[in-house]
Amino acid sequence: MVAEETVRRVTRRRVRTRANLLDAAFAVFAAKGFGRVSIEEVCEAAGYSRGAFYSNFDSLDELFFALYRQRADLIAEQVSGALALDGPDLDVPAAVDRVTEVLLLDRDWLLVKTDFLVHAARDPDVAQTLLEHRARLRQAIADRLARARGFAKPPAVLDDAEGAAHAVVAAYDGVTVQLLLDKDVDGARIWLKQLLTALLTDGSGTPQRDPHQ
């Protein structure tokens, strides 16, 4: 029992240390930019030694991917949660409203992500890992759309639910680029809603129907 309690304490402490390192890294990356930050700076911001860092992460790249996974999972949960409220019969216009209301539009995160995208673009291995994370986000959206009995066939150019998911993520990417420049979160939500409505409905808020159904 004593050994088990010791293991639990160590595990809780490790989880807390990892979380603190992630929080500190996010703040430092947002302030200085990924690629301009050292492991020592992250450790100093978190109040830990390099040993604590290396007991949790092999590199800043690995730490960033842990951050990215957190945000990607949060966005996927937000999207899936908004889409799930209709049950199996998806009300697309209402779901678009809910998604654009809850979706994470955090400028600090966008600054960090953009810095890392540039870094990944110059390193094929890092780029591949980032592509895999993005693919999981798209798949979460596509799976929900595919399971919705009431979801109409998307416009022909998008082909299917996976095509629609690609378009949704691309719309989000485009809107967030504008947000980085003009800092207008409310405007970004309005523009994203308009784009998603155009992608997933006939533009008037009415879902596109498959003429063969």
Side-chain angles (χ1 to χ4, degrees):
M1 292 296 293
V2 173
E4 290 178 3
E5 181 59 30
T6 300
V7 169
R8 282 197 292 270
R9 283 200 302 271
V10 170
T11 300
R12 286 197 297 269
R13 184 168 62 248
R14 182 181 178 86
V15 169
R16 186 167 59 251
T17 299
R18 182 181 177 89
N20 290 340
L21 284 167
L22 288 169
D23 289 344
F26 178 80
V28 176
F29 289 162
K32 295 187 176 182
F34 186 89
R36 300 178 182 87
V37 173
S38 66
I39 290 174
E40 287 79 8
E41 288 175 295
V42 172
C43 292
E44 182 179 353
Y48 292 121
S49 66
R50 285 174 62 92
F53 180 94
Y54 283 114
S55 69
N56 287 276
F57 305 103
D58 290 335
S59 65
L60 286 176
D61 282 359
E62 183 182 336
L63 182 151
F64 176 85
F65 281 122
L67 274 176
Y68 189 91
R69 190 179 303 112
Q70 279 185 344
R71 296 298 169 121
D73 289 348
L74 173 60
I75 292 170
E77 288 171 8
Q78 290 173 330
V79 172
S80 297
L83 295 177
L85 292 178
D86 291 319
D89 295 311
L90 185 63
D91 180 342
V92 175
V96 166
D97 285 345
R98 290 194 299 270
V99 167
T100 53
E101 285 173 4
V102 304
L103 192 61
L104 178 70
L105 290 173
D106 179 75
R107 192 168 179 274
D108 282 346
W109 166 242
L110 297 175
L111 285 169
V112 174
K113 186 178 77 167
T114 301
D115 279 342
F116 194 78
L117 283 171
V118 174
H119 169 66
R122 294 189 173 95
D123 187 322
D125 291 334
V126 177
Q128 182 58 42
T129 304
L130 189 56
L131 285 170
E132 291 168 1
H133 283 294
R134 287 172 60 83
R136 281 197 285 273
L137 173 60
R138 289 196 304 270
Q139 193 60 53
I141 299 170
D143 287 348
R144 178 61 186 107
L145 293 176
R147 290 198 308 271
R149 289 196 302 266
F151 176 62
K153 184 179 178 62
V157 70
L158 299 181
D159 189 37
D160 55 16
E162 289 192 8
H166 270 271
V168 167
V169 174
Y172 176 78
D173 286 343
V175 166
T176 54
V177 169
Q178 183 69 23
L179 174 59
L180 277 173
L181 299 176
D182 64 20
K183 305 179 184 179
D184 184 358
V185 176
D186 291 337
R189 292 195 188 281
I190 292 170
W191 181 223
L192 183 60
K193 178 180 177 180
Q194 292 171 340
L195 285 175
L196 296 184
T197 298
L199 288 168
L200 302 178
T201 75
D202 65 3
S204 65
T206 302
Q208 292 278 358
R209 295 295 174 185
D210 185 346
H212 302 294
Q213 288 184 344

